[in-house]
Amino acid sequence: APLAWIRHGWDVADPADPNDPGWEVRPGLAPENYFSPEKVFRSGLHTLIVECEDSMGHRARVTVRIEVVLR
């Protein structure tokens, strides 16, 4: 099924909340939905979430956790 929307965010506290301030973009298919500008992080654990839904309503979510260590 074709993609209906995609969105991504860093350190999203509540992925089920569409208004969570961690979401970088609203769900959609615009160019900004596919790319994120370069980010600068403080030390600690950070989480990238990419979520998409197809035209049949099937939703998928990928979570990537990274730990930033500054020396």
Side-chain angles (χ1 to χ4, degrees):
L3 192 62
W5 58 260
I6 188 168
R7 67 179 172 176
H8 61 276
W10 284 97
D11 300 329
V12 177
D14 182 1
D17 179 0
N19 297 312
D20 188 292
W23 289 117
E24 297 278 327
V25 291
R26 307 286 299 163
L29 297 175
E32 58 267 19
N33 290 81
Y34 294 93
F35 300 98
S36 179
E38 190 173 301
K39 304 287 273 179
V40 176
F41 293 104
R42 296 177 184 230
S43 290
L45 186 63
H46 298 278
T47 304
L48 168 66
I49 295 178
V50 178
E51 188 174 61
C52 64
E53 186 171 289
D54 67 17
S55 60
M56 300 289 291
H58 301 113
R59 193 173 290 191
R61 181 184 297 152
V62 175
T63 302
V64 178
R65 290 183 175 89
I66 62 169
E67 185 170 358
V68 177
V69 179
L70 300 176
R71 296 179 192 247

